[in-house]
Amino acid sequence: MFGMQAALAIAKARGNIVICSDYSNLQALPSDVFPAFVEVLRRANPRLERAALVMPRKGTSLRHQMEALLRQATHPNRRLCADSAEARAWLSSLLNREEQVRLDQFLRERALVSPVVPLRSTFSNLGRPASYPPTSRQGQGVKPQR
């Protein structure tokens, strides 16, 4: 499902793409998901300018899995980021003002999400029109009550 949604978002975007993904609540990838995830990343390679993957703060097996994923996906401009500030720093130089605002909105929203399932992925294509929602709702947790 994630791969289909990622491919659809990339197909809708014009030109090269910049991606920010938040995996900070993900613990590990099931081994049967790994090859499919590598394929999702590889399919984006021809149009990818840069990607930031926000990871859990604490060291987990996920970081090792994601490092292996990035090696197999073979694109030098993908980076694992320890937090939203690092992701912002990695991506901002390529973004116009509107895209920077959308990136900040995405990262703020993700900071408020509590996971309701152990496996959660969010794909955000910063190159899409502003009228398109900045994040995908699939598998997403519930925002805390205020």
Short mmCIF file of all heavy atoms in Angstrom, two decimals, residues 103-144:
data_model
loop_
_atom_site.label_atom_id
_atom_site.label_comp_id
_atom_site.label_asym_id
_atom_site.label_seq_id
_atom_site.Cartn_x
_atom_site.Cartn_y
_atom_site.Cartn_z
N LEU A 103 6.99 22.03 4.43
CA LEU A 103 7.89 21.14 5.17
C LEU A 103 7.74 21.37 6.67
O LEU A 103 7.59 20.42 7.44
CB LEU A 103 9.34 21.34 4.74
CG LEU A 103 10.38 20.56 5.55
CD1 LEU A 103 10.17 19.06 5.42
CD2 LEU A 103 11.78 20.96 5.10
N ASP A 104 7.75 22.64 7.09
CA ASP A 104 7.60 22.95 8.52
C ASP A 104 6.26 22.44 9.05
O ASP A 104 6.19 21.89 10.15
CB ASP A 104 7.72 24.45 8.76
CG ASP A 104 9.14 24.95 8.60
OD1 ASP A 104 10.09 24.13 8.64
OD2 ASP A 104 9.32 26.17 8.41
N GLN A 105 5.19 22.61 8.26
CA GLN A 105 3.87 22.13 8.66
C GLN A 105 3.89 20.61 8.83
O GLN A 105 3.39 20.07 9.81
CB GLN A 105 2.82 22.54 7.65
CG GLN A 105 1.43 22.06 7.98
CD GLN A 105 0.42 22.41 6.91
OE1 GLN A 105 0.74 23.05 5.91
NE2 GLN A 105 -0.81 21.99 7.11
N PHE A 106 4.46 19.91 7.86
CA PHE A 106 4.56 18.45 7.93
C PHE A 106 5.31 18.01 9.19
O PHE A 106 4.84 17.16 9.94
CB PHE A 106 5.25 17.91 6.67
CG PHE A 106 5.62 16.45 6.75
CD1 PHE A 106 4.65 15.47 6.61
CD2 PHE A 106 6.92 16.06 6.96
CE1 PHE A 106 4.98 14.13 6.68
CE2 PHE A 106 7.27 14.73 7.03
CZ PHE A 106 6.29 13.75 6.89
N LEU A 107 6.45 18.62 9.44
CA LEU A 107 7.26 18.22 10.59
C LEU A 107 6.57 18.55 11.91
O LEU A 107 6.65 17.77 12.86
CB LEU A 107 8.64 18.86 10.51
CG LEU A 107 9.51 18.35 9.35
CD1 LEU A 107 10.76 19.19 9.19
CD2 LEU A 107 9.84 16.88 9.49
N ARG A 108 5.85 19.66 11.98
CA ARG A 108 5.09 19.99 13.19
C ARG A 108 3.96 18.98 13.41
O ARG A 108 3.74 18.52 14.52
CB ARG A 108 4.50 21.40 13.10
CG ARG A 108 5.42 22.49 13.57
CD ARG A 108 4.69 23.81 13.76
NE ARG A 108 3.81 24.16 12.66
CZ ARG A 108 4.18 24.83 11.56
NH1 ARG A 108 5.43 25.21 11.42
NH2 ARG A 108 3.31 25.11 10.61
N GLU A 109 3.22 18.65 12.35
CA GLU A 109 2.14 17.68 12.46
C GLU A 109 2.66 16.33 12.94
O GLU A 109 2.05 15.69 13.77
CB GLU A 109 1.44 17.47 11.10
CG GLU A 109 0.52 18.57 10.71
CD GLU A 109 -0.09 18.32 9.33
OE1 GLU A 109 0.07 17.20 8.79
OE2 GLU A 109 -0.73 19.24 8.81
N ARG A 110 3.77 15.90 12.38
CA ARG A 110 4.32 14.59 12.73
C ARG A 110 4.75 14.56 14.20
O ARG A 110 4.68 13.54 14.84
CB ARG A 110 5.50 14.24 11.83
CG ARG A 110 5.17 14.20 10.34
CD ARG A 110 3.94 13.42 9.95
NE ARG A 110 3.97 12.10 10.51
CZ ARG A 110 2.89 11.42 10.89
NH1 ARG A 110 1.71 11.91 10.76
NH2 ARG A 110 3.01 10.22 11.40
N ALA A 111 5.18 15.69 14.74
CA ALA A 111 5.61 15.73 16.14
C ALA A 111 4.43 15.53 17.09
O ALA A 111 4.62 15.09 18.22
CB ALA A 111 6.30 17.06 16.43
N LEU A 112 3.21 15.80 16.63
CA LEU A 112 2.02 15.67 17.47
C LEU A 112 1.37 14.30 17.41
O LEU A 112 0.46 14.00 18.17
CB LEU A 112 0.97 16.71 17.05
CG LEU A 112 1.36 18.17 17.21
CD1 LEU A 112 0.28 19.07 16.63
CD2 LEU A 112 1.62 18.49 18.67
N VAL A 113 1.83 13.45 16.50
CA VAL A 113 1.17 12.16 16.27
C VAL A 113 1.66 11.10 17.24
O VAL A 113 2.86 10.92 17.41
CB VAL A 113 1.40 11.69 14.81
CG1 VAL A 113 0.85 10.29 14.60
CG2 VAL A 113 0.75 12.67 13.85
N SER A 114 0.72 10.40 17.85
CA SER A 114 1.03 9.24 18.68
C SER A 114 0.68 8.00 17.87
O SER A 114 -0.41 7.92 17.32
CB SER A 114 0.19 9.24 19.95
OG SER A 114 0.45 10.40 20.69
N PRO A 115 1.58 7.02 17.78
CA PRO A 115 1.27 5.84 16.98
C PRO A 115 0.16 5.00 17.62
O PRO A 115 0.11 4.88 18.83
CB PRO A 115 2.59 5.08 16.94
CG PRO A 115 3.28 5.51 18.19
CD PRO A 115 2.86 6.94 18.43
N VAL A 116 -0.71 4.46 16.79
CA VAL A 116 -1.74 3.55 17.28
C VAL A 116 -1.50 2.14 16.78
O VAL A 116 -2.17 1.22 17.19
CB VAL A 116 -3.17 4.02 16.89
CG1 VAL A 116 -3.49 5.31 17.59
CG2 VAL A 116 -3.32 4.16 15.39
N VAL A 117 -0.54 1.98 15.88
CA VAL A 117 -0.14 0.67 15.38
C VAL A 117 1.38 0.66 15.37
O VAL A 117 2.02 1.69 15.24
CB VAL A 117 -0.68 0.39 13.95
CG1 VAL A 117 -2.18 0.25 13.98
CG2 VAL A 117 -0.26 1.46 12.97
N PRO A 118 2.02 -0.51 15.50
CA PRO A 118 3.48 -0.55 15.57
C PRO A 118 4.18 -0.21 14.26
O PRO A 118 5.32 0.19 14.27
CB PRO A 118 3.79 -1.98 16.00
CG PRO A 118 2.56 -2.76 15.71
CD PRO A 118 1.41 -1.80 15.74
N LEU A 119 3.51 -0.34 13.13
CA LEU A 119 4.14 -0.06 11.84
C LEU A 119 3.44 1.13 11.21
O LEU A 119 2.28 1.06 10.87
CB LEU A 119 4.03 -1.28 10.92
CG LEU A 119 4.65 -1.14 9.55
CD1 LEU A 119 6.16 -0.99 9.66
CD2 LEU A 119 4.32 -2.35 8.70
N ARG A 120 4.14 2.26 11.09
CA ARG A 120 3.53 3.46 10.53
C ARG A 120 4.52 4.11 9.59
O ARG A 120 5.67 4.28 9.92
CB ARG A 120 3.15 4.44 11.63
CG ARG A 120 2.35 5.60 11.07
CD ARG A 120 2.21 6.72 12.07
NE ARG A 120 3.21 7.69 11.74
CZ ARG A 120 4.29 8.01 12.45
NH1 ARG A 120 4.52 7.54 13.55
NH2 ARG A 120 5.17 8.86 12.05
N SER A 121 4.05 4.51 8.42
CA SER A 121 4.88 5.20 7.45
C SER A 121 4.11 6.38 6.91
O SER A 121 2.91 6.30 6.71
CB SER A 121 5.25 4.28 6.29
OG SER A 121 5.95 3.17 6.76
N THR A 122 4.80 7.45 6.65
CA THR A 122 4.19 8.61 6.03
C THR A 122 5.09 9.07 4.92
O THR A 122 6.29 9.17 5.08
CB THR A 122 4.02 9.75 7.05
OG1 THR A 122 3.19 9.27 8.10
CG2 THR A 122 3.36 10.96 6.42
N PHE A 123 4.52 9.34 3.78
CA PHE A 123 5.26 9.80 2.62
C PHE A 123 4.79 11.20 2.29
O PHE A 123 3.62 11.45 2.21
CB PHE A 123 4.97 8.85 1.45
CG PHE A 123 5.64 9.26 0.18
CD1 PHE A 123 6.91 8.81 -0.12
CD2 PHE A 123 5.00 10.11 -0.70
CE1 PHE A 123 7.53 9.18 -1.29
CE2 PHE A 123 5.62 10.48 -1.87
CZ PHE A 123 6.88 10.02 -2.17
N SER A 124 5.68 12.12 2.14
CA SER A 124 5.30 13.48 1.81
C SER A 124 6.14 13.95 0.63
O SER A 124 7.34 14.00 0.72
CB SER A 124 5.53 14.40 3.00
OG SER A 124 5.19 15.72 2.64
N ASN A 125 5.49 14.31 -0.44
CA ASN A 125 6.16 14.85 -1.60
C ASN A 125 6.02 16.35 -1.56
O ASN A 125 4.93 16.87 -1.68
CB ASN A 125 5.53 14.28 -2.88
CG ASN A 125 6.13 14.90 -4.11
OD1 ASN A 125 7.00 15.76 -4.01
ND2 ASN A 125 5.68 14.47 -5.25
N LEU A 126 7.12 17.06 -1.36
CA LEU A 126 7.06 18.51 -1.21
C LEU A 126 6.85 19.23 -2.53
O LEU A 126 6.60 20.41 -2.53
CB LEU A 126 8.35 19.00 -0.55
CG LEU A 126 8.57 18.44 0.85
CD1 LEU A 126 9.93 18.86 1.37
CD2 LEU A 126 7.47 18.91 1.77
N GLY A 127 6.92 18.54 -3.66
CA GLY A 127 6.78 19.19 -4.94
C GLY A 127 5.37 19.30 -5.44
O GLY A 127 5.12 19.85 -6.48
N ARG A 128 4.38 18.82 -4.68
CA ARG A 128 3.01 18.84 -5.18
C ARG A 128 2.36 20.20 -4.91
O ARG A 128 2.84 20.97 -4.09
CB ARG A 128 2.21 17.72 -4.56
CG ARG A 128 2.06 17.83 -3.08
CD ARG A 128 1.33 16.62 -2.57
NE ARG A 128 1.55 16.61 -1.13
CZ ARG A 128 1.67 15.54 -0.42
NH1 ARG A 128 1.58 14.38 -0.97
NH2 ARG A 128 1.86 15.61 0.86
N PRO A 129 1.25 20.49 -5.58
CA PRO A 129 0.58 21.78 -5.40
C PRO A 129 0.14 21.99 -3.95
O PRO A 129 -0.16 21.03 -3.24
CB PRO A 129 -0.65 21.67 -6.31
CG PRO A 129 -0.35 20.56 -7.25
CD PRO A 129 0.61 19.65 -6.56
N ALA A 130 0.07 23.24 -3.53
CA ALA A 130 -0.28 23.57 -2.15
C ALA A 130 -1.68 23.09 -1.79
O ALA A 130 -1.96 22.80 -0.64
CB ALA A 130 -0.16 25.08 -1.92
N SER A 131 -2.57 22.97 -2.76
CA SER A 131 -3.94 22.53 -2.47
C SER A 131 -4.00 21.06 -2.11
O SER A 131 -4.98 20.60 -1.53
CB SER A 131 -4.84 22.80 -3.68
OG SER A 131 -4.38 22.06 -4.78
N TYR A 132 -2.96 20.31 -2.43
CA TYR A 132 -2.92 18.89 -2.11
C TYR A 132 -2.47 18.76 -0.66
O TYR A 132 -1.53 19.42 -0.24
CB TYR A 132 -1.93 18.19 -3.05
CG TYR A 132 -2.08 16.69 -3.09
CD1 TYR A 132 -3.04 16.11 -3.90
CD2 TYR A 132 -1.28 15.88 -2.31
CE1 TYR A 132 -3.18 14.73 -3.95
CE2 TYR A 132 -1.42 14.51 -2.35
CZ TYR A 132 -2.37 13.94 -3.17
OH TYR A 132 -2.50 12.58 -3.21
N PRO A 133 -3.10 17.94 0.19
CA PRO A 133 -2.71 17.85 1.60
C PRO A 133 -1.23 17.50 1.75
O PRO A 133 -0.71 16.70 1.00
CB PRO A 133 -3.59 16.71 2.14
CG PRO A 133 -4.70 16.56 1.17
CD PRO A 133 -4.18 17.03 -0.16
N PRO A 134 -0.55 18.10 2.73
CA PRO A 134 0.89 17.89 2.88
C PRO A 134 1.29 16.53 3.38
O PRO A 134 2.44 16.18 3.29
CB PRO A 134 1.30 18.98 3.88
CG PRO A 134 0.06 19.28 4.63
CD PRO A 134 -1.08 19.05 3.68
N THR A 135 0.37 15.75 3.93
CA THR A 135 0.74 14.43 4.41
C THR A 135 -0.32 13.41 4.03
O THR A 135 -1.46 13.75 3.77
CB THR A 135 0.90 14.38 5.95
OG1 THR A 135 -0.35 14.73 6.54
CG2 THR A 135 1.99 15.31 6.43
N SER A 136 0.09 12.17 4.03
CA SER A 136 -0.82 11.06 3.78
C SER A 136 -1.41 10.63 5.10
O SER A 136 -0.76 10.68 6.13
CB SER A 136 -0.03 9.92 3.14
OG SER A 136 -0.77 8.74 3.21
N ARG A 137 -2.65 10.15 5.13
CA ARG A 137 -3.29 9.74 6.38
C ARG A 137 -3.20 8.23 6.58
O ARG A 137 -3.66 7.73 7.59
CB ARG A 137 -4.76 10.17 6.39
CG ARG A 137 -4.94 11.63 6.16
CD ARG A 137 -5.19 12.53 7.30
NE ARG A 137 -5.81 11.97 8.46
CZ ARG A 137 -5.55 12.40 9.67
NH1 ARG A 137 -4.67 13.35 9.86
NH2 ARG A 137 -6.16 11.90 10.70
N GLN A 138 -2.62 7.48 5.63
CA GLN A 138 -2.62 6.02 5.77
C GLN A 138 -1.76 5.60 6.95
O GLN A 138 -0.69 6.09 7.15
CB GLN A 138 -2.16 5.36 4.47
CG GLN A 138 -0.77 4.78 4.44
CD GLN A 138 0.29 5.80 4.10
OE1 GLN A 138 0.02 6.92 3.73
NE2 GLN A 138 1.53 5.41 4.24
N GLY A 139 -2.31 4.71 7.77
CA GLY A 139 -1.56 4.14 8.88
C GLY A 139 -1.15 5.14 9.94
O GLY A 139 -0.35 4.85 10.80
N GLN A 140 -1.69 6.34 9.91
CA GLN A 140 -1.25 7.40 10.79
C GLN A 140 -1.91 7.27 12.15
O GLN A 140 -3.03 6.83 12.27
CB GLN A 140 -1.62 8.72 10.12
CG GLN A 140 -1.27 9.95 10.93
CD GLN A 140 -1.45 11.17 10.09
OE1 GLN A 140 -0.86 11.26 9.04
NE2 GLN A 140 -2.27 12.08 10.52
N GLY A 141 -1.22 7.68 13.18
CA GLY A 141 -1.75 7.64 14.53
C GLY A 141 -2.79 8.73 14.74
O GLY A 141 -3.16 9.46 13.83
N VAL A 142 -3.23 8.86 15.95
CA VAL A 142 -4.24 9.83 16.32
C VAL A 142 -3.57 10.98 17.04
O VAL A 142 -2.74 10.79 17.91
CB VAL A 142 -5.30 9.17 17.25
CG1 VAL A 142 -6.32 10.18 17.71
CG2 VAL A 142 -5.94 8.00 16.54
N LYS A 143 -3.97 12.22 16.69
CA LYS A 143 -3.42 13.38 17.38
C LYS A 143 -3.96 13.42 18.81
O LYS A 143 -5.13 13.13 19.03
CB LYS A 143 -3.79 14.67 16.65
CG LYS A 143 -3.09 14.81 15.33
CD LYS A 143 -3.37 16.14 14.71
CE LYS A 143 -2.66 16.24 13.36
NZ LYS A 143 -2.90 17.48 12.70
N PRO A 144 -3.12 13.79 19.76
CA PRO A 144 -3.59 13.85 21.15
C PRO A 144 -4.67 14.93 21.32
O PRO A 144 -4.64 15.94 20.63
CB PRO A 144 -2.33 14.20 21.96
CG PRO A 144 -1.26 14.51 20.98
CD PRO A 144 -1.74 14.13 19.62
#
